[in-house]
Amino acid sequence: MANIILLGPPGAGKGTQAKRLVEERGMVQLSTGDMLREAKTSGTEMGRRVAEVMDRGDLVTDEIVIGLIEEKITGNAGGGFIFDGFPRTLPQADALGALLARTGQTLDAVIEMQVDDAALVARITGRFTCGQCGEVYHDSTRPTKVPGTCDVCGSTNLKRRADDTEEALKQRLMEYYKKTSPLIGYYYAKGGLSAVDGLAEMDDVGAAIAKVLDRRK
Ligand code: AP5
């Protein structure tokens, strides 16, 4: 069992690789982005405020996301937790360390997915997901086998995210460089940071992540 963080800018492939690890290793994906998108549709005042922030490409407050993770981290971790999109700030990283320590768990690897910013626009603007099962696709690099139908669950409810525009992506990248990229140095100093080439083919990225996880056994 291993608890890991997938760290990288928007479109680096965190969600894609997290889903593979869930299938291949029985790990549990904790995506704060998915949790917040669920909150957006809750019809509550908090959901409305979260939607405004996310659609602009800004970060939601530390307090909200730490609360979301705190609720999940005590549950069954199966093959380990994959923190996808969390932590994103230094206070969130400190909070995760404290939460893991309090629940008697460890952080076993932090995997930085390195990508070239220029590739991200094409990745983000071509992305669509299944509204039913959450499978992630791309217009050119990973289209569905039957147009308009999810390969995994057969749903025709395929959606694009409100923040997957070039304008919102610029803001998301700005937030990443200002607030999230310092975590690379933070985890390097703590130990346990590994980097993989996020621009490689999806299977090769998966193999590189598997190598990092198997090295620790
Ligand atoms: P979140 O949902 O976490 O989005 P993100 O970090 O911007 O990351 P993405 O989901 O856009 O990209 P990804 O790396 O998962 O890439 P994917 O695998 O889909 O956060 C959204 C918002 O929520 C934030 O902006 C913020 O407002 C809020 N939020 C979330 N967490 C927060 C936190 N902790 N604190 C504060 N606010 C928070 O891949 C992208 C595309 O590329 C896909 O189409 C895929 O098919 C394709 N692709 C993937 N890998 C490859 C490959 N190797 N080759 C070719 N194509 C590929």
Side-chain angles (χ1 to χ4, degrees):
M1 189 182 123
N3 295 320
I4 66 166
I5 294 174
L6 294 181
L7 186 64
K14 304 181 293 294
T16 300
Q17 296 301 330
K19 288 197 167 45
R20 288 181 166 221
L21 291 168
V22 170
E23 272 169 35
E24 292 166 9
R25 294 179 182 243
M27 295 177 80
V28 175
Q29 179 187 12
L30 294 183
S31 159
T32 39
D34 286 349
M35 293 174 207
L36 291 165
R37 276 184 286 281
E38 214 178 295
K40 265 175 84 169
T41 60
S42 64
T44 60
E45 175 56 21
M46 192 269 248
R48 198 191 55 73
R49 273 187 282 130
V50 162
E52 262 178 37
V53 173
M54 286 177 82
D55 293 354
R56 263 199 321 264
D58 289 333
L59 291 188
V60 173
T61 63
D62 289 337
E63 195 191 356
I64 290 178
V65 286
I66 291 167
L68 289 171
I69 287 289
E70 197 167 7
E71 274 174 28
K72 306 274 179 184
I73 212 171
T74 46
N76 184 354
F81 289 121
I82 308 158
F83 296 100
D84 163 10
F86 179 90
R88 255 177 156 97
T89 63
L90 291 167
Q92 289 180 23
D94 283 339
L96 176 62
L99 279 173
L100 288 171
R102 204 166 76 210
T103 51
Q105 303 184 72
T106 51
L107 180 61
D108 302 293
V110 179
I111 302 175
E112 182 202 351
M113 304 186 61
Q114 295 181 328
V115 284
D116 171 354
D117 289 349
L120 298 178
V121 178
R123 280 205 184 173
I124 289 289
T125 54
R127 170 169 58 187
F128 59 98
T129 54
C130 173
Q132 194 70 32
C133 71
E135 192 66 13
V136 185
Y137 296 96
H138 190 277
D139 291 328
S140 50
T141 56
R142 191 164 184 253
T144 52
K145 292 190 184 102
V146 178
T149 305
C150 176
D151 296 350
V152 177
C153 72
S155 168
T156 52
N157 179 19
L158 301 176
K159 304 194 296 196
R160 291 186 194 263
R161 274 169 42 178
D163 59 346
D164 275 354
T165 60
E166 274 195 59
E167 199 191 349
L169 175 62
K170 273 188 200 149
Q171 182 57 20
R172 286 159 66 194
L173 270 177
M174 192 61 85
E175 291 283 80
Y176 177 80
Y177 286 113
K178 281 201 293 200
K179 298 174 185 166
T180 309
S181 63
L183 296 184
I184 296 167
Y186 174 99
Y187 284 116
Y188 176 77
K190 268 187 175 283
L193 179 76
S194 302
V196 299
D197 176 10
L199 284 180
E201 294 290 321
M202 287 182 207
D203 287 346
D204 295 336
V205 180
I209 292 174
K211 214 165 152 185
V212 172
L213 296 185
D214 294 339
R215 209 163 50 208
R216 322 172 23 261
K217 282 184 180 163

